[in-house]
Amino acid sequence: MFIDLREDWFETEEFWERYRPLMFDPDRMADTEEEADGIAALAGLKSGSRILDLCCGEGRHDLAFAERGHSVTGVDITKPYLKRARAAAEKAGLEVEYVEQDVRTFKKPESYDFALNFFTSFGYFDDEEDDLLMCRNVCESLVSGGQFLIDTIGKETTALHFKNSEWFQRDGYHIMLQYRITDGWTHIENRWLFVSDSHEQPSELNEIIFRHRLYSAKEMALLLAEAGFSEVRFFGALDGRPYDHKAQRMLVLAVR
């Protein structure tokens, strides 16, 4: 089966459900508590902060923040993920507000102390103006002095760590991931191929192609300034290391 989702791929529930085992593997889930602590330390979160998690997925960080006494709202458009998030919160006895809404339209003026967009969930939109709209909505939803943390891969880290392909086995599949830089370094195109390793049924090849926009640090800083943020800082990992030639990720911390 082949799916070409170069445009608006993030709106397709089938994509998120079929490839969920790749994105939420046991190792990644095990990192949640450490990541939540790193996020809190990097942003200097105060006790009882009001947190907005955009593109929250199944809410793994939301539960960690709620356990730490914060008030959390998670926003996403993927129904199955939100259903799991709500069930997990209920099972844990935690109060987390989950909203099924596009982040381009969600806005709640001056209601949050901190917002985050984690795990390479920025740059999905085909139109760059939609990225700006999302950032403006976040800025307006924060109180004065509120902070917005974006975790993604920048152009610099993509160039630093780029590889054309990789493969591995997971959840009963042989998985091949292929990457290509397109449109003058404005996008990265992803081609994922899944083949079942089951001996009990014929193997089925599942292939999907999607892409998202890449930003350099300068481009990201300009975008966030245009959205209304007064200060933008960059880090190379959650431990606060510089965003330089040794950076692992692009961590952007913007202040309203």
Side-chain angles (χ1 to χ4, degrees):
M1 181 180 69
F2 170 70
I3 305 175
D4 190 336
L5 296 176
R6 286 182 175 87
E7 295 184 8
D8 297 337
W9 57 273
F10 53 89
E11 295 179 348
T12 307
E13 286 186 8
E14 181 183 357
F15 166 82
W16 295 109
E17 282 294 89
R18 180 175 292 274
Y19 299 101
R20 177 176 175 264
L22 174 60
M23 293 178 284
F24 300 109
D25 62 275
D27 289 341
R28 180 162 290 120
M29 298 301 291
D31 290 339
T32 301
E33 295 295 324
E34 184 178 351
E35 288 174 352
D37 287 337
I39 291 167
L42 192 67
L45 289 185
K46 297 180 180 178
S47 177
S49 291
R50 296 165 296 174
I51 296 176
L52 172 63
D53 185 3
L54 296 160
C55 305
C56 67
E58 297 187 1
R60 62 191 183 101
H61 293 111
D62 302 333
L63 299 186
F65 288 130
E67 286 175 347
R68 289 158 174 75
H70 301 295
S71 173
V72 186
T73 297
V75 179
D76 207 293
I77 61 171
T78 308
K79 288 183 175 67
Y81 281 11
L82 289 175
K83 182 178 180 180
R84 293 189 184 98
R86 292 184 178 109
E90 183 177 357
K91 182 178 180 180
L94 297 170
E95 289 189 18
V96 179
E97 178 187 20
Y98 284 110
V99 179
E100 182 186 330
Q101 192 169 336
D102 193 309
V103 294
R104 289 170 290 187
T105 62
F106 181 87
K107 182 168 60 177
K108 197 173 180 181
E110 299 185 0
S111 297
Y112 301 99
D113 305 297
F114 177 68
L116 73 154
N117 178 255
F118 211 77
F119 189 34
T120 321
S121 299
F122 192 84
Y124 284 178
F125 310 124
D126 194 57
D127 187 347
E128 189 175 4
E129 286 297 313
D130 285 336
D131 289 341
L132 177 59
L133 175 60
M134 171 186 168
C135 291
R136 280 177 172 156
N137 289 341
V138 175
C139 190
E140 291 183 32
S141 297
L142 292 169
V143 297
S144 179
Q147 300 179 96
F148 179 30
L149 178 66
I150 300 173
D151 160 62
T152 189
I153 51 171
K155 286 184 181 178
E156 298 89 348
T157 52
T158 300
L160 184 65
H161 303 296
F162 186 78
K163 48 188 173 182
N164 293 309
S165 63
E166 58 183 318
W167 77 273
F168 47 88
Q169 290 178 279
R170 184 176 296 160
D171 201 44
Y173 286 93
H174 295 285
I175 303 171
M176 170 72 80
L177 308 182
Q178 296 180 331
Y179 309 101
R180 187 168 69 97
I181 303 300
T182 68
D183 304 319
W185 266 99
T186 61
H187 291 83
I188 184 169
E189 184 175 277
N190 303 266
R191 180 174 180 247
W192 293 359
L193 299 98
F194 281 53
V195 180
S196 172
D197 62 7
S198 173
H199 299 292
E200 300 177 358
Q201 57 185 10
S203 295
E204 177 188 1
L205 174 65
N206 293 289
E207 177 183 6
I208 189 165
I209 296 176
F210 66 98
R211 69 177 192 166
H212 67 264
R213 186 178 298 276
L214 292 170
Y215 286 90
S216 68
K218 182 177 181 179
E219 290 166 338
M220 184 69 81
L222 290 172
L223 178 77
L224 289 166
E226 187 175 355
F229 290 93
S230 63
E231 179 185 350
V232 182
R233 292 180 288 161
F234 292 88
F235 303 93
L238 276 177
D239 59 12
R241 71 184 64 182
Y243 186 64
D244 58 16
H245 63 289
K246 296 182 180 179
Q248 297 176 354
R249 305 274 296 169
M250 177 192 277
L251 275 293
V252 192
L253 192 61
V255 181
R256 179 177 178 182

